[in-house]
Each structure stands twice: as structure tokens, then as C-alpha cells.
Amino acid sequence: MQFEVLAKCHTTRARVSRMRLAHGVTMLPTFMPVATQAAIKGLTPQQVEALGINLILNNTYHLNLRPGIQVLKEAGGAHKFQGWTHNLLTDSGGFQLVSLSKFTKITEEGALFASPFDGSPTMLTPEESISIQHTIGADIIMQLDDVVSSLTVGPRVEEAMWRTIRWLDRCIEFHQSSGKDDVQNLFAIVQGGLDAELRDKCLDEMIARKDKVAGYAIGGLSGGEEKDVFWRVIKQCADKLPEDRPRYSMGIGFAEDLLVCVALGVDMADCVFPTRTARFGVALTFKGPLNLRLGKHATDMRPIEEGCPCPTCTSGMTRALLNHTATLETAAAHAITQHNLVFQARVMGGAREAIINGTFPQYLKDFFANYFGDVGYPEWCVSALRSVGVDLLEGRPESKTVSGDGAKWEYSDAA
Ligand SMILES: [Zn+2]
């Protein structure tokens, strides 16, 4: 991997960088759509490519179950299997194992789980996870980490943090001895829960291994913790992680979360949210999400968003049509999915452009004013951005703030 920081925001910690991988260049910050089963739900690889997207995520756990490693081996890796010629990242499989398997026991050796096929005990070790990811052949691969929910407290959090470091060492050793480390790039995952001291220890240990890892992910968040705690952990990690490595915040997808993370110094993020919510009829726009199933869109002959360059908006497809077909016709899911991925790409592309032009603080202010308008800014976003020198309320003393996650006006029952 070649990683080069090209521009830095003069106020916040945001930066623009160029990441060159075996399947091309990806400009950061970027949002990575999730293709769980080696396919972004509702879109062909050619459609994804036509949207300008050149880095997507596959789930190791799912690919390992179906089609299985043998098929991927025969196909010559996941790129060829899914007809994707651009960059690919795989997770380690640990997160799904813990969240989806009925029985998972973490031991020092690895994660012991019941096979979803016949219930027989199966072990996923750090070495096995890397080996599976080698067969998949993704450009960026993740270490196996000991995942605990962000709501877990007590000694388990510290145990998981230290084990994650020991497992990182095993992943590094296996990866380096495989000869694959010149084409596939291993990322470490910073753990430590919501505890600043544990995060700090984990950061120290993982930064000490900098020469052996290509990048860093911030894990163990987006599990239902308070947003005011979430951003502080992101900031702590992004502040300390080395300048010359990409920083990946896992499981972040709401536009406001993405922009706050970028301002705090994050380069990459992924989430199923934009594609999943599309299938429930919710389109993301710069004026906030639209729940196209609501009756008020039934006679609206406008596109989802004026000026949007996506195939849905430029083809003349109306909100009225999408209201008529959302959640009923697969074509509507495809159309809204395309729009939503272009929206995510425009939010991040706009951020990159503003960072390069020196106008990122204003970009943030304009985005929040348009997106939240009268419904009120999430308080945590205001606090987080203040911590990096941007006051969203400056010049807008009349603006409201709202506690919690912030307004979800048309997100309603769309999760
Ligand atoms: Zn559009």
C-alpha cells in the first residue's frame, strides 16, 4: 500500500489522502458500501463501478459459510468471484461470529462457535481468519479481534483489549510468513471499550507495531453507546494514531456521523445503513432523509433530489413513482440504493474537495444547516466539532440543538 496525505484542514483534524492498493487508487476520506455476500444488495458490480465507487467491503464470516473457501479458491479469489476489479476490504469474521452465532465462546486460542450447518463446535483462530482472508484476496484485511459490545463494562473489556493485542501479533506473524503481505494489507483494530485509559494502553501497544500494520481501525463502537461518548473515543484514537497510516472507523454510516468522524481525523468508514434503509424506502438527501413510503410523496413529481447526478434522479424517476413502488418492487429498491450510495459519495467527495480548498469548516456549517434545518442540530455533533475548532452555532444563535442521536424525522421505522 502507498498512503500519502495530500491536504490537511487548517482548522479541524480532517485530511485528504491517496491510498494506492493492488486494485487501484482510492481517495480518502471515503465511505465503503457493504457487499455482505460478495454483492451490494440490489446492484451489479458494473452499476456500483458506474457510481464512481472503487472500494467496497465483503464480510468474511458470510463468504466463509457460503459459497465457502473452496469455491472462492476455484474462482481465484473474491474479486473474480464477484466480478469486481476495484479495491476490496474484508473484515475478520469475528464481529458476525459473536453477533450472529447462538453459541460463541472466546478462548485464548480463538473463537469457538457452533457451525451454523450442523451445530458442531468450530474454532476461528486469528491465523484461520487471516488464512480465509488470504483466499478471499481482499486488498485490505482485518485482524481477528476479541469483540465485546460497547455496552459491556467491567474486567471483560480489559481482557478483550489485551487479547486483541495478542491476536494482532498472531495475525501479523501468520500474515508476514505467508508471503501475501506485499499485496494484502493488514489493519489492526483498536479496542478498549469506552474506557479512555484502556483505549490509551491499546493505542500504545498497537502504535508500537506500526511497522507491521498498514492501517488502523477503531473498533468496539456503534453498539448503542451514547453518541457523546462515541465521539470522544473516536477523537482520542484519531488524535493519537500515526499520521502516516489510514484510520478506519467501523460501522459508521449516517452523514452527520461521517462528517464528524472526518473532522476528528478519520479516513474510512463503512455501514449497511444507506443500502439497507433504501430497501425500506428511505432516500438520503442533503435536506435530510425522505421516507418515500409516506403519503405526502404520492403526487410529488420531483426527483428524489434536484441536482443529484445519480441514475435515478437523472432518469426522471419521480418521488411519486417511488412512493408507489417502494418496498413492493425490486426496481424501486435498486433505484433508491443507487441514489443513496451516490449521496454518501457526494457527502465524502464534497468533504475532500472542501479540505483541499481550505473551506471544510464552512462545508460542515452548510451541511448541518441544510440537513437539520429547523429540526435542530444533534448536541453531540455540536460538541464534537467544537473540540476541533468549528462552532456550528456561530452566527446561528437561533438554531436549536437536540439531545440523543439527533433528529430522525423521516428515518422512522426504516432501520
Ligand atoms: Zn439521486
mmCIF file of all heavy atoms in Angstrom, residues 345-380:
data_model
loop_
_atom_site.group_PDB
_atom_site.id
_atom_site.type_symbol
_atom_site.label_atom_id
_atom_site.label_comp_id
_atom_site.label_asym_id
_atom_site.label_seq_id
_atom_site.Cartn_x
_atom_site.Cartn_y
_atom_site.Cartn_z
ATOM 1 N N ALA A 345 -21.345 9.151 -1.408
ATOM 2 C CA ALA A 345 -20.134 9.536 -2.137
ATOM 3 C C ALA A 345 -20.042 11.047 -2.302
ATOM 4 O O ALA A 345 -18.946 11.619 -2.252
ATOM 5 C CB ALA A 345 -20.115 8.855 -3.504
ATOM 6 N N ARG A 346 -21.201 11.706 -2.456
ATOM 7 C CA ARG A 346 -21.181 13.172 -2.598
ATOM 8 C C ARG A 346 -20.827 13.843 -1.274
ATOM 9 O O ARG A 346 -20.113 14.851 -1.248
ATOM 10 C CB ARG A 346 -22.549 13.670 -3.065
ATOM 11 C CG ARG A 346 -22.849 13.298 -4.515
ATOM 12 C CD ARG A 346 -24.270 13.692 -4.865
ATOM 13 N NE ARG A 346 -24.413 15.113 -5.172
ATOM 14 C CZ ARG A 346 -25.576 15.770 -5.130
ATOM 15 N NH1 ARG A 346 -26.677 15.147 -4.743
ATOM 16 N NH2 ARG A 346 -25.627 17.041 -5.443
ATOM 17 N N VAL A 347 -21.333 13.297 -0.160
ATOM 18 C CA VAL A 347 -21.001 13.863 1.158
ATOM 19 C C VAL A 347 -19.482 13.795 1.373
ATOM 20 O O VAL A 347 -18.852 14.771 1.773
ATOM 21 C CB VAL A 347 -21.739 13.096 2.280
ATOM 22 C CG1 VAL A 347 -21.187 13.466 3.656
ATOM 23 C CG2 VAL A 347 -23.237 13.374 2.220
ATOM 24 N N MET A 348 -18.895 12.628 1.054
ATOM 25 C CA MET A 348 -17.464 12.450 1.287
ATOM 26 C C MET A 348 -16.631 13.162 0.229
ATOM 27 O O MET A 348 -15.583 13.731 0.525
ATOM 28 C CB MET A 348 -17.120 10.958 1.328
ATOM 29 C CG MET A 348 -17.769 10.223 2.489
ATOM 30 S SD MET A 348 -17.365 10.932 4.105
ATOM 31 C CE MET A 348 -16.330 9.623 4.765
ATOM 32 N N GLY A 349 -17.096 13.127 -1.027
ATOM 33 C CA GLY A 349 -16.384 13.840 -2.088
ATOM 34 C C GLY A 349 -16.388 15.342 -1.829
ATOM 35 O O GLY A 349 -15.378 16.027 -2.032
ATOM 36 N N GLY A 350 -17.513 15.849 -1.355
ATOM 37 C CA GLY A 350 -17.608 17.263 -1.008
ATOM 38 C C GLY A 350 -16.659 17.615 0.117
ATOM 39 O O GLY A 350 -16.028 18.691 0.121
ATOM 40 N N ALA A 351 -16.531 16.705 1.068
ATOM 41 C CA ALA A 351 -15.600 16.929 2.183
ATOM 42 C C ALA A 351 -14.164 16.987 1.662
ATOM 43 O O ALA A 351 -13.390 17.882 2.025
ATOM 44 C CB ALA A 351 -15.755 15.823 3.227
ATOM 45 N N ARG A 352 -13.815 16.045 0.787
ATOM 46 C CA ARG A 352 -12.440 16.044 0.236
ATOM 47 C C ARG A 352 -12.137 17.347 -0.492
ATOM 48 O O ARG A 352 -11.085 17.959 -0.309
ATOM 49 C CB ARG A 352 -12.264 14.866 -0.738
ATOM 50 C CG ARG A 352 -12.223 13.498 -0.091
ATOM 51 C CD ARG A 352 -11.677 12.445 -1.038
ATOM 52 N NE ARG A 352 -12.433 12.303 -2.268
ATOM 53 C CZ ARG A 352 -13.468 11.468 -2.433
ATOM 54 N NH1 ARG A 352 -13.875 10.692 -1.435
ATOM 55 N NH2 ARG A 352 -14.093 11.393 -3.587
ATOM 56 N N GLU A 353 -13.100 17.769 -1.316
ATOM 57 C CA GLU A 353 -12.904 18.997 -2.085
ATOM 58 C C GLU A 353 -12.737 20.198 -1.156
ATOM 59 O O GLU A 353 -11.862 21.046 -1.353
ATOM 60 C CB GLU A 353 -14.124 19.180 -2.992
ATOM 61 C CG GLU A 353 -13.944 20.159 -4.111
ATOM 62 C CD GLU A 353 -15.213 20.226 -4.969
ATOM 63 O OE1 GLU A 353 -15.638 19.163 -5.473
ATOM 64 O OE2 GLU A 353 -15.778 21.320 -5.088
ATOM 65 N N ALA A 354 -13.580 20.247 -0.109
ATOM 66 C CA ALA A 354 -13.525 21.382 0.815
ATOM 67 C C ALA A 354 -12.221 21.383 1.612
ATOM 68 O O ALA A 354 -11.645 22.448 1.884
ATOM 69 C CB ALA A 354 -14.731 21.340 1.753
ATOM 70 N N ILE A 355 -11.730 20.194 1.980
ATOM 71 C CA ILE A 355 -10.468 20.132 2.726
ATOM 72 C C ILE A 355 -9.340 20.672 1.837
ATOM 73 O O ILE A 355 -8.507 21.473 2.274
ATOM 74 C CB ILE A 355 -10.173 18.683 3.180
ATOM 75 C CG1 ILE A 355 -11.229 18.214 4.189
ATOM 76 C CG2 ILE A 355 -8.768 18.583 3.795
ATOM 77 C CD1 ILE A 355 -11.271 16.694 4.402
ATOM 78 N N ILE A 356 -9.352 20.251 0.568
ATOM 79 C CA ILE A 356 -8.304 20.708 -0.365
ATOM 80 C C ILE A 356 -8.407 22.223 -0.586
ATOM 81 O O ILE A 356 -7.405 22.928 -0.622
ATOM 82 C CB ILE A 356 -8.411 19.944 -1.707
ATOM 83 C CG1 ILE A 356 -7.962 18.493 -1.496
ATOM 84 C CG2 ILE A 356 -7.578 20.611 -2.794
ATOM 85 C CD1 ILE A 356 -8.236 17.575 -2.670
ATOM 86 N N ASN A 357 -9.653 22.730 -0.682
ATOM 87 C CA ASN A 357 -9.844 24.164 -0.939
ATOM 88 C C ASN A 357 -9.721 25.028 0.304
ATOM 89 O O ASN A 357 -9.842 26.244 0.226
ATOM 90 C CB ASN A 357 -11.233 24.409 -1.548
ATOM 91 C CG ASN A 357 -11.356 23.798 -2.926
ATOM 92 O OD1 ASN A 357 -10.337 23.549 -3.583
ATOM 93 N ND2 ASN A 357 -12.570 23.549 -3.368
ATOM 94 N N GLY A 358 -9.559 24.402 1.464
ATOM 95 C CA GLY A 358 -9.461 25.177 2.703
ATOM 96 C C GLY A 358 -10.801 25.680 3.201
ATOM 97 O O GLY A 358 -10.864 26.654 3.955
ATOM 98 N N THR A 359 -11.900 25.047 2.785
ATOM 99 C CA THR A 359 -13.229 25.524 3.172
ATOM 100 C C THR A 359 -14.020 24.477 3.951
ATOM 101 O O THR A 359 -15.244 24.539 4.013
ATOM 102 C CB THR A 359 -14.048 25.904 1.907
ATOM 103 O OG1 THR A 359 -14.069 24.765 1.014
ATOM 104 C CG2 THR A 359 -13.432 27.085 1.189
ATOM 105 N N PHE A 360 -13.328 23.517 4.552
ATOM 106 C CA PHE A 360 -14.041 22.424 5.230
ATOM 107 C C PHE A 360 -14.914 22.901 6.404
ATOM 108 O O PHE A 360 -16.055 22.437 6.549
ATOM 109 C CB PHE A 360 -13.046 21.348 5.669
ATOM 110 C CG PHE A 360 -13.690 20.125 6.253
ATOM 111 C CD1 PHE A 360 -14.607 19.368 5.525
ATOM 112 C CD2 PHE A 360 -13.392 19.719 7.549
ATOM 113 C CE1 PHE A 360 -15.202 18.238 6.067
ATOM 114 C CE2 PHE A 360 -13.982 18.588 8.103
ATOM 115 C CZ PHE A 360 -14.891 17.850 7.366
ATOM 116 N N PRO A 361 -14.430 23.846 7.246
ATOM 117 C CA PRO A 361 -15.325 24.312 8.329
ATOM 118 C C PRO A 361 -16.641 24.872 7.790
ATOM 119 O O PRO A 361 -17.711 24.592 8.334
ATOM 120 C CB PRO A 361 -14.485 25.387 9.033
ATOM 121 C CG PRO A 361 -13.060 24.950 8.791
ATOM 122 C CD PRO A 361 -13.057 24.402 7.385
ATOM 123 N N GLN A 362 -16.569 25.628 6.693
ATOM 124 C CA GLN A 362 -17.794 26.177 6.113
ATOM 125 C C GLN A 362 -18.652 25.069 5.511
ATOM 126 O O GLN A 362 -19.883 25.099 5.590
ATOM 127 C CB GLN A 362 -17.441 27.228 5.042
ATOM 128 C CG GLN A 362 -18.639 28.040 4.564
ATOM 129 C CD GLN A 362 -19.328 28.803 5.700
ATOM 130 O OE1 GLN A 362 -18.669 29.403 6.551
ATOM 131 N NE2 GLN A 362 -20.663 28.741 5.744
ATOM 132 N N TYR A 363 -18.001 24.065 4.928
ATOM 133 C CA TYR A 363 -18.719 22.910 4.370
ATOM 134 C C TYR A 363 -19.544 22.233 5.460
ATOM 135 O O TYR A 363 -20.709 21.870 5.270
ATOM 136 C CB TYR A 363 -17.715 21.928 3.755
ATOM 137 C CG TYR A 363 -18.325 20.674 3.163
ATOM 138 C CD1 TYR A 363 -18.946 20.687 1.913
ATOM 139 C CD2 TYR A 363 -18.268 19.456 3.850
ATOM 140 C CE1 TYR A 363 -19.493 19.532 1.363
ATOM 141 C CE2 TYR A 363 -18.818 18.295 3.306
ATOM 142 C CZ TYR A 363 -19.434 18.330 2.069
ATOM 143 O OH TYR A 363 -19.977 17.193 1.533
ATOM 144 N N LEU A 364 -18.915 22.066 6.630
ATOM 145 C CA LEU A 364 -19.626 21.454 7.756
ATOM 146 C C LEU A 364 -20.839 22.302 8.146
ATOM 147 O O LEU A 364 -21.945 21.777 8.339
ATOM 148 C CB LEU A 364 -18.686 21.313 8.966
ATOM 149 C CG LEU A 364 -17.552 20.294 8.840
ATOM 150 C CD1 LEU A 364 -16.560 20.462 9.986
ATOM 151 C CD2 LEU A 364 -18.110 18.868 8.833
ATOM 152 N N LYS A 365 -20.621 23.617 8.258
ATOM 153 C CA LYS A 365 -21.721 24.503 8.673
ATOM 154 C C LYS A 365 -22.862 24.461 7.664
ATOM 155 O O LYS A 365 -24.031 24.381 8.043
ATOM 156 C CB LYS A 365 -21.204 25.945 8.821
ATOM 157 C CG LYS A 365 -20.322 26.143 10.037
ATOM 158 C CD LYS A 365 -19.834 27.574 10.111
ATOM 159 C CE LYS A 365 -18.830 27.721 11.247
ATOM 160 N NZ LYS A 365 -18.271 29.083 11.285
ATOM 161 N N ASP A 366 -22.517 24.515 6.389
ATOM 162 C CA ASP A 366 -23.556 24.487 5.352
ATOM 163 C C ASP A 366 -24.292 23.143 5.360
ATOM 164 O O ASP A 366 -25.517 23.093 5.240
ATOM 165 C CB ASP A 366 -22.928 24.706 3.962
ATOM 166 C CG ASP A 366 -22.397 26.121 3.796
ATOM 167 O OD1 ASP A 366 -22.758 26.993 4.620
ATOM 168 O OD2 ASP A 366 -21.605 26.349 2.862
ATOM 169 N N PHE A 367 -23.531 22.073 5.506
ATOM 170 C CA PHE A 367 -24.170 20.752 5.512
ATOM 171 C C PHE A 367 -25.179 20.651 6.653
ATOM 172 O O PHE A 367 -26.330 20.241 6.445
ATOM 173 C CB PHE A 367 -23.134 19.627 5.627
ATOM 174 C CG PHE A 367 -23.799 18.282 5.708
ATOM 175 C CD1 PHE A 367 -24.154 17.601 4.549
ATOM 176 C CD2 PHE A 367 -24.163 17.722 6.945
ATOM 177 C CE1 PHE A 367 -24.833 16.390 4.606
ATOM 178 C CE2 PHE A 367 -24.845 16.515 7.014
ATOM 179 C CZ PHE A 367 -25.170 15.850 5.851
ATOM 180 N N PHE A 368 -24.752 21.004 7.855
ATOM 181 C CA PHE A 368 -25.653 20.861 9.006
ATOM 182 C C PHE A 368 -26.868 21.777 8.879
ATOM 183 O O PHE A 368 -27.981 21.388 9.234
ATOM 184 C CB PHE A 368 -24.902 21.105 10.322
ATOM 185 C CG PHE A 368 -24.198 19.870 10.814
ATOM 186 C CD1 PHE A 368 -22.960 19.504 10.314
ATOM 187 C CD2 PHE A 368 -24.804 19.028 11.737
ATOM 188 C CE1 PHE A 368 -22.323 18.342 10.735
ATOM 189 C CE2 PHE A 368 -24.176 17.857 12.176
ATOM 190 C CZ PHE A 368 -22.938 17.519 11.664
ATOM 191 N N ALA A 369 -26.653 23.005 8.353
ATOM 192 C CA ALA A 369 -27.779 23.938 8.195
ATOM 193 C C ALA A 369 -28.808 23.361 7.220
ATOM 194 O O ALA A 369 -30.014 23.412 7.465
ATOM 195 C CB ALA A 369 -27.275 25.292 7.716
ATOM 196 N N ASN A 370 -28.327 22.802 6.111
ATOM 197 C CA ASN A 370 -29.245 22.221 5.126
ATOM 198 C C ASN A 370 -29.912 20.962 5.645
ATOM 199 O O ASN A 370 -31.098 20.740 5.462
ATOM 200 C CB ASN A 370 -28.475 21.841 3.846
ATOM 201 C CG ASN A 370 -28.246 23.042 2.974
ATOM 202 O OD1 ASN A 370 -29.095 23.922 2.878
ATOM 203 N ND2 ASN A 370 -27.079 23.092 2.359
ATOM 204 N N TYR A 371 -29.117 20.116 6.276
ATOM 205 C CA TYR A 371 -29.568 18.766 6.611
ATOM 206 C C TYR A 371 -30.526 18.779 7.792
ATOM 207 O O TYR A 371 -31.524 18.070 7.808
ATOM 208 C CB TYR A 371 -28.343 17.915 6.929
ATOM 209 C CG TYR A 371 -28.576 16.417 6.931
ATOM 210 C CD1 TYR A 371 -28.680 15.717 5.740
ATOM 211 C CD2 TYR A 371 -28.656 15.709 8.123
ATOM 212 C CE1 TYR A 371 -28.858 14.331 5.726
ATOM 213 C CE2 TYR A 371 -28.835 14.320 8.126
ATOM 214 C CZ TYR A 371 -28.933 13.652 6.930
ATOM 215 O OH TYR A 371 -29.114 12.288 6.922
ATOM 216 N N PHE A 372 -30.182 19.588 8.807
ATOM 217 C CA PHE A 372 -31.018 19.583 10.012
ATOM 218 C C PHE A 372 -31.971 20.764 10.067
ATOM 219 O O PHE A 372 -32.979 20.700 10.769
ATOM 220 C CB PHE A 372 -30.150 19.531 11.268
ATOM 221 C CG PHE A 372 -29.492 18.195 11.457
ATOM 222 C CD1 PHE A 372 -28.160 18.001 11.105
ATOM 223 C CD2 PHE A 372 -30.209 17.122 11.937
ATOM 224 C CE1 PHE A 372 -27.564 16.754 11.260
ATOM 225 C CE2 PHE A 372 -29.621 15.864 12.095
ATOM 226 C CZ PHE A 372 -28.294 15.690 11.754
ATOM 227 N N GLY A 373 -31.630 21.843 9.313
ATOM 228 C CA GLY A 373 -32.520 22.994 9.228
ATOM 229 C C GLY A 373 -33.183 23.313 10.547
ATOM 230 O O GLY A 373 -32.517 23.586 11.538
ATOM 231 N N ASP A 374 -34.491 23.254 10.548
ATOM 232 C CA ASP A 374 -35.244 23.675 11.725
ATOM 233 C C ASP A 374 -35.429 22.584 12.769
ATOM 234 O O ASP A 374 -35.906 22.855 13.858
ATOM 235 C CB ASP A 374 -36.641 24.161 11.290
ATOM 236 C CG ASP A 374 -36.528 25.354 10.359
ATOM 237 O OD1 ASP A 374 -35.546 26.101 10.510
ATOM 238 O OD2 ASP A 374 -37.412 25.511 9.499
ATOM 239 N N VAL A 375 -35.083 21.359 12.437
ATOM 240 C CA VAL A 375 -35.360 20.289 13.406
ATOM 241 C C VAL A 375 -34.324 20.256 14.533
ATOM 242 O O VAL A 375 -34.523 19.591 15.542
ATOM 243 C CB VAL A 375 -35.443 18.884 12.754
ATOM 244 C CG1 VAL A 375 -36.597 18.801 11.788
ATOM 245 C CG2 VAL A 375 -34.138 18.505 12.091
ATOM 246 N N GLY A 376 -33.233 20.971 14.370
ATOM 247 C CA GLY A 376 -32.255 21.064 15.462
ATOM 248 C C GLY A 376 -31.037 20.197 15.227
ATOM 249 O O GLY A 376 -31.145 19.077 14.730
ATOM 250 N N TYR A 377 -29.871 20.746 15.591
ATOM 251 C CA TYR A 377 -28.616 20.002 15.443
ATOM 252 C C TYR A 377 -28.449 19.029 16.601
ATOM 253 O O TYR A 377 -28.718 19.378 17.741
ATOM 254 C CB TYR A 377 -27.413 20.955 15.475
ATOM 255 C CG TYR A 377 -27.353 21.955 14.358
ATOM 256 C CD1 TYR A 377 -26.433 22.997 14.413
ATOM 257 C CD2 TYR A 377 -28.174 21.877 13.241
ATOM 258 C CE1 TYR A 377 -26.332 23.921 13.394
ATOM 259 C CE2 TYR A 377 -28.079 22.807 12.223
ATOM 260 C CZ TYR A 377 -27.160 23.823 12.300
ATOM 261 O OH TYR A 377 -27.063 24.735 11.293
ATOM 262 N N PRO A 378 -27.962 17.829 16.336
ATOM 263 C CA PRO A 378 -27.649 16.931 17.459
ATOM 264 C C PRO A 378 -26.564 17.585 18.336
ATOM 265 O O PRO A 378 -25.539 18.027 17.815
ATOM 266 C CB PRO A 378 -27.108 15.673 16.779
ATOM 267 C CG PRO A 378 -27.569 15.758 15.358
ATOM 268 C CD PRO A 378 -27.679 17.215 15.033
ATOM 269 N N GLU A 379 -26.836 17.626 19.619
ATOM 270 C CA GLU A 379 -25.900 18.279 20.556
ATOM 271 C C GLU A 379 -24.502 17.689 20.470
ATOM 272 O O GLU A 379 -23.506 18.399 20.539
ATOM 273 C CB GLU A 379 -26.416 18.101 21.991
ATOM 274 C CG GLU A 379 -27.025 19.350 22.568
ATOM 275 C CD GLU A 379 -27.764 19.053 23.873
ATOM 276 O OE1 GLU A 379 -27.399 18.077 24.573
ATOM 277 O OE2 GLU A 379 -28.700 19.789 24.165
ATOM 278 N N TRP A 380 -24.463 16.347 20.287
ATOM 279 C CA TRP A 380 -23.141 15.709 20.291
ATOM 280 C C TRP A 380 -22.303 16.148 19.099
ATOM 281 O O TRP A 380 -21.081 16.264 19.215
ATOM 282 C CB TRP A 380 -23.277 14.184 20.350
ATOM 283 C CG TRP A 380 -23.719 13.542 19.067
ATOM 284 C CD1 TRP A 380 -24.998 13.313 18.664
ATOM 285 C CD2 TRP A 380 -22.876 13.043 18.025
ATOM 286 N NE1 TRP A 380 -25.014 12.715 17.426
ATOM 287 C CE2 TRP A 380 -23.717 12.523 17.009
ATOM 288 C CE3 TRP A 380 -21.496 12.975 17.846
ATOM 289 C CZ2 TRP A 380 -23.222 11.960 15.835
ATOM 290 C CZ3 TRP A 380 -21.007 12.413 16.676
ATOM 291 C CH2 TRP A 380 -21.857 11.914 15.685
#
